[in-house]
Amino acid sequence: MRNLNPDQLRTFLTVVDLGSFSAAARRLNLTQPAVSLQLRELEARLGVPLLDRMGRRAVPTPAGETLVVHARRITAEIDAALEAIRRHRDGALGRVRLGSGASIAAYLLPRVLKTLRDRRPDLEVVVRVGTADTIVRGLLAGDFDLAVLTLPVDERGLTVEPLRTDPLVAVFPAGADVPDAVTPADLARFPLILDERPTRQRAHTLAWLQTGGITAHPVMELGSNDAVRAMVAAGMGASVMTADTVADLGARVVTRPLDPPVLRRIAIGQRHGQPDDPALRLLREALRTLATS
């Protein structure tokens, strides 16, 4: 088996992502015959078919699915190497790709990233949000250089550095008559509003309710923390969030600690063997300031 050609791997991934040879050709600024030739040569190198036609779409075969995982890592490492060399050439720090949960990005990262940009305007930090599971997959696939993760994370391919711990709190509309510490039974007296996404916070909330024998039946399941907190502030029900998520709502909501308490633990994550450089070190040091904020 001959060595793999990075250009052929990129072409293969583009066809998989777009599901079409012609769309891939347009994306890569190639002719469709050139795309087809690269894919035939790649299949000949590997000795297995990589793509099937299903109607007008091109879909990966089982062997192709396996190659997709490795090809994304290979191309990501090549891109990282080229970017690192470009920074040496241009004398700039360049770009770091940061993954984060949506609430962390909204309520914890802005101050940190603004301070870092003021100090080092030559460092570009690109932030993408997702659930903890999608961020972990992105780290492993090379889509992110660093991530702020909600624990637990049990992936052997990652290095995890614990960062901070925040208690979850019950959040009620202003004027709600609630005790100083809220049990699952106390929360169950109110219509429950939750984030519909499969987040760690949602899982923690459902598990906490179960400790009190309560099976959750949310009256609203919304697509963001902003929507959840807006509904609570409008008097539509109650939820469980971190205190920083609702701090700016002031007297529009009432917050109470949970009984028993539930903690959100966040950490910095990166791939094992990730090449270190000044840009990554600067961002990592900036993120560590969250531990004391």
Side-chain angles (χ1 to χ4, degrees), residues 154-176:
D154 185 20
E155 292 289 345
R156 294 182 180 179
L158 298 181
T159 299
V160 175
E161 176 185 334
L163 192 57
R164 64 183 281 163
T165 299
D166 297 298
L168 297 185
V169 297
V171 186
F172 303 93

Side-chain angles (χ1 to χ4, degrees), residues 58-290:
V59 298
T61 64
E65 292 280 9
T66 299
L67 181 60
V68 164
V69 176
H70 296 283
R72 292 198 193 282
R73 293 178 186 172
I74 291 168
T75 55
E77 289 298 335
I78 291 172
D79 289 342
L82 293 174
E83 177 66 16
I85 296 302
R86 185 194 67 77
R87 292 198 291 268
H88 283 289
R89 183 191 67 209
D90 297 345
L93 282 171
R95 171 184 293 186
V96 180
R97 301 163 301 164
L98 177 66
S100 170
S103 63
I104 294 171
Y107 302 106
L108 295 181
L109 291 184
R111 177 186 56 78
V112 170
L113 296 183
K114 176 62 165 59
T115 301
L116 179 60
R117 188 179 68 180
D118 289 345
R119 287 178 49 223
R120 298 304 302 255
D122 53 343
L123 173 60
E124 180 184 7
V125 180
V126 179
V127 181
R128 284 176 49 199
V129 301
T131 64
D133 290 337
T134 60
I135 297 299
V136 166
R137 289 197 296 271
L139 274 175
L140 293 172
D143 296 333
F144 303 115
D145 303 304
L146 289 176
V148 183
L149 301 165
T150 303
L151 300 176
V153 172
D154 185 20
E155 292 289 345
R156 294 182 180 179
L158 298 181
T159 299
V160 175
E161 176 185 334
L163 192 57
R164 64 183 281 163
T165 299
D166 297 298
L168 297 185
V169 297
V171 186
F172 303 93
D177 182 14
V178 289
D180 291 340
V182 168
T183 66
D186 296 323
L187 186 67
R189 295 191 292 110
F190 293 80
L192 182 62
I193 304 173
L194 292 180
D195 190 329
E196 67 180 354
R197 296 168 299 171
T199 63
R200 295 279 195 270
Q201 182 171 294
R202 178 187 173 96
H204 290 330
T205 300
L206 297 179
W208 175 76
L209 287 167
Q210 285 286 354
T211 65
I214 305 296
T215 300
H217 297 289
V219 298
M220 295 186 189
E221 294 182 279
L222 307 173
S224 70
N225 278 325
D226 281 345
V228 171
R229 71 189 210 127
M231 286 295 182
V232 174
M236 299 302 295
S239 191
V240 174
M241 313 181 88
T242 54
D244 55 68
T245 305
V246 295
D248 64 322
L249 294 178
R252 296 172 61 194
V253 297
V254 173
T255 62
R256 293 288 188 270
L258 300 182
D259 180 18
V262 179
L263 301 177
R264 180 191 69 177
R265 298 178 296 129
I266 63 175
I268 302 171
Q270 69 179 79
R271 294 190 312 282
H272 284 323
Q274 169 95 9
D276 205 11
D277 64 24
L280 287 179
R281 288 195 292 272
L282 279 171
L283 179 56
R284 197 181 299 112
E285 289 166 6
L287 292 173
R288 285 172 180 153
T289 64
L290 289 172

Side-chain angles (χ1 to χ4, degrees), residues 7-23:
D7 290 335
Q8 292 174 350
L9 291 178
R10 291 186 192 279
T11 299
F12 167 68
L13 289 174
T14 305
V15 171
V16 169
D17 290 341
L18 300 179
S20 164
F21 281 70
S22 58

Side-chain angles (χ1 to χ4, degrees), residues 42-64:
L42 182 59
E43 290 178 329
R45 285 175 184 271
L46 298 175
V48 292
L50 299 172
L51 293 167
D52 276 336
R53 294 278 192 178
M54 296 187 66
R56 301 182 64 180
R57 286 190 61 81
V59 298
T61 64

